[in-house]
Amino acid sequence: MIHNRQILTMSSFTAMFFLGVGSAVIGAASRNIGLSPDQIGLLLASQNIGFILAVITVGTLADSTDKARLMFAASLIIAVSFFFFYLKDAFILNLGIMLIIGVGIGGYEGAADAMLLDIHARRQSLFISVNHFFVTFGELMIVIYLIFLQMNWRESMVQSAAAVFVLAIIFGLSRVPPRKMMAENFRKRLAFIAKQRPVLVLFLMASCAVGIELALIGMITSLLMEFYGFDQVTSKLGLVAFLAGIAAGRLVLGVLARKSQLLKYITALFALTAAVLSFLLFASPGAVMAYILLIVSGTTISVIFPLIIALTGLKYPEMSGTVMGIIKLGIPVGGIVVPLMLSLLVQATSFKTALVLFPLIGIVGFMLALSHRKQLAIV
């Protein structure tokens, strides 16, 4: 059996890379597949349903089950679903496969961070930040691989399936038992968590951070073409700049953050995100400055969600999997609610006016962190 900490850590990082590939493949390969906008929406909705079901289930199981086995199951699900995704050109069939991909990546999200918390006694926030760096790295690589290099997307899915199957073998030979067996059943744990106001605050903060990040990823090319006069290529370079900022931020800020400073970093980064996005969206800087601001905004927003996850796991160590699973529901919630609010504002006002939502959400996140700093402190 594999108990080596370094092997398990690198396997977790690799798993999160393929989580990024799975979450971004629809956007990256939609034109290659020939998907219509309504089909893209249905595939994303199907993936989010699978993700929601898996992240809370696996997160709960992570408190009482060997986490390597959970990662093994998630790896096997992703490997099989990657291989079969659009092997046959039947939309309903692939809608079901995308649901299964959502289950697999939700399984990774529910177990990987909890596993890192168990195998590392120090610098947990660093390992979780780097873990989520690999999600962004996977998203960035699939965009570059398919959009810019014009590679065969089906071949890339088969190659990814083979790599994830190797991960399944590694996790299948590994063991990461829970540090402490939970005496309480799920209902009692849920009743306890429901009374914890910090959990609600952390969930709302996570939804704010993820909502800004995912909505911007979806809107950057459109807003650059609309307000900066960018073309198809330069607007996509803007998206790459934003993703590069996210990747760099998760590495650099993850190294700098310390356990005692997590909440201070979260609070400051929400404020910086609001300020930088206000300048980017409303000050009309030049094209070069726009690229710089995209990198800076990606950096400021990048590490907020990983730090919230680390703070959650450290605040509730005995049921970290369950609580982190609940907080991670902020991923689909933020990814659905913020774009929906943006769409409604565009219809009610204008595209330019609606963009004020991004700095406003940053301010909301800042106020949540600031006003609940005592309740969120790690004892």
Side-chain angles (χ1 to χ4, degrees), residues 10 37 77-78 80-81 88 101 117 127 143-144 149 170-171 245 247 254 267 295 306 315 323 331 337-338 345 370 378:
M10 292 307 301
I77 289 169
I78 292 175
V80 173
S81 53
K88 301 290 184 182
I101 291 176
L117 282 173
F127 288 106
V143 169
I144 293 172
L149 299 182
I170 293 172
F171 287 124
T267 307
I295 295 171
K315 187 167 181 62
V323 184
I331 297 174
V337 172
V338 173
L345 277 174
L370 187 66
I378 302 170

Side-chain angles (χ1 to χ4, degrees), residues 272-340:
L272 284 171
T273 296
V276 174
L277 288 179
S278 296
F279 192 66
L280 171 67
L281 300 174
F282 300 106
S284 300
V288 174
M289 182 57 69
Y291 282 126
I292 294 171
L293 289 172
L294 284 167
I295 295 171
V296 174
S297 60
T299 303
T300 59
I301 193 64
S302 65
V303 80
I304 297 177
F305 179 70
L307 291 185
I308 290 171
I309 295 302
L311 180 63
T312 302
L314 293 169
K315 187 167 181 62
Y316 298 97
E318 293 187 355
M319 52 180 69
S320 59
T322 304
V323 184
M324 286 195 298
I326 292 170
I327 302 306
K328 286 179 179 182
L329 290 177
I331 297 174
V333 170
I336 293 169
V337 172
V338 173
L340 180 61

Side-chain angles (χ1 to χ4, degrees), residues 56-107:
I56 187 64
T57 302
V58 173
T60 302
L61 289 172
D63 289 329
S64 57
T65 306
D66 189 303
K67 295 170 184 65
R69 292 182 179 179
L70 295 173
M71 293 293 286
F72 162 75
S75 298
L76 205 57
I77 289 169
I78 292 175
V80 173
S81 53
F82 272 9
F83 179 81
F84 284 104
F85 185 59
Y86 268 93
L87 182 63
K88 301 290 184 182
D89 191 16
F91 180 73
I92 297 299
L93 172 63
N94 289 290
L95 194 64
I97 294 171
M98 184 50 67
L99 175 72
I100 298 169
I101 291 176
V103 170
I105 64 177

Side-chain angles (χ1 to χ4, degrees), residues 88-371:
K88 301 290 184 182
D89 191 16
F91 180 73
I92 297 299
L93 172 63
N94 289 290
L95 194 64
I97 294 171
M98 184 50 67
L99 175 72
I100 298 169
I101 291 176
V103 170
I105 64 177
Y108 272 170
E109 193 68 73
D113 288 337
M115 182 177 74
L116 290 177
L117 282 173
D118 271 7
I119 64 177
H120 294 283
R122 300 174 58 200
R123 305 301 307 275
Q124 295 99 327
S125 61
L126 169 62
F127 288 106
I128 289 176
S129 293
V130 175
N131 213 32
H132 286 266
F133 155 78
F134 277 94
V135 178
T136 308
F137 188 49
E139 293 170 343
L140 186 59
M141 286 300 101
I142 195 69
V143 169
I144 293 172
Y145 196 73
L146 297 184
I147 294 178
F148 290 104
L149 299 182
Q150 296 292 313
M151 298 297 184
N152 184 298
W153 81 273
R154 264 301 301 167
E155 287 183 9
S156 72
M157 292 302 287
V158 173
Q159 292 163 4
S160 297
V164 177
F165 184 73
V166 172
L167 277 179
I169 295 172
I170 293 172
F171 287 124
L173 296 173
S174 304
R175 290 295 177 266
V176 185
R179 288 182 178 178
K180 181 179 178 181
M181 293 300 294
M182 296 296 297
E184 300 91 348
N185 60 31
F186 175 65
R187 185 174 296 179
K188 289 182 179 179
R189 274 181 278 166
L190 205 58
F192 170 78
I193 292 168
K195 298 175 183 177
Q196 297 293 303
R197 185 174 179 81
V199 174
L200 175 61
V201 175
L202 288 164
F203 170 79
L204 293 173
M205 287 163 56
S207 299
C208 288
V210 172
I212 293 172
E213 182 181 328
L214 295 184
L216 271 176
I217 288 172
M219 297 296 297
I220 280 173
T221 55
S222 296
L223 70 88
L224 288 177
M225 293 175 71
E226 180 77 17
F227 302 117
Y228 287 90
F230 284 25
D231 58 26
Q232 289 280 354
V233 174
T234 54
S235 64
K236 287 175 182 175
L237 288 173
L239 174 58
V240 171
F242 182 70
L243 290 173
I246 293 175
R250 285 180 176 168
L251 280 179
V252 176
L253 296 177
V255 170
L256 294 175
R258 296 292 186 271
K259 179 180 176 179
S260 60
Q261 300 172 324
L262 295 183
L263 188 56
K264 291 180 181 178
Y265 268 87
I266 292 167
T267 307
L269 288 168
F270 265 126
L272 284 171
T273 296
V276 174
L277 288 179
S278 296
F279 192 66
L280 171 67
L281 300 174
F282 300 106
S284 300
V288 174
M289 182 57 69
Y291 282 126
I292 294 171
L293 289 172
L294 284 167
I295 295 171
V296 174
S297 60
T299 303
T300 59
I301 193 64
S302 65
V303 80
I304 297 177
F305 179 70
L307 291 185
I308 290 171
I309 295 302
L311 180 63
T312 302
L314 293 169
K315 187 167 181 62
Y316 298 97
E318 293 187 355
M319 52 180 69
S320 59
T322 304
V323 184
M324 286 195 298
I326 292 170
I327 302 306
K328 286 179 179 182
L329 290 177
I331 297 174
V333 170
I336 293 169
V337 172
V338 173
L340 180 61
M341 290 172 63
L342 191 66
S343 176
L344 293 173
L345 277 174
V346 169
Q347 293 176 32
T349 57
S350 66
F351 187 15
K352 186 73 171 180
T353 304
L355 295 176
V356 75
L357 184 65
F358 288 112
L360 279 178
I361 293 172
I363 293 169
V364 169
F366 168 77
M367 293 304 298
L368 283 169
L370 187 66
S371 60

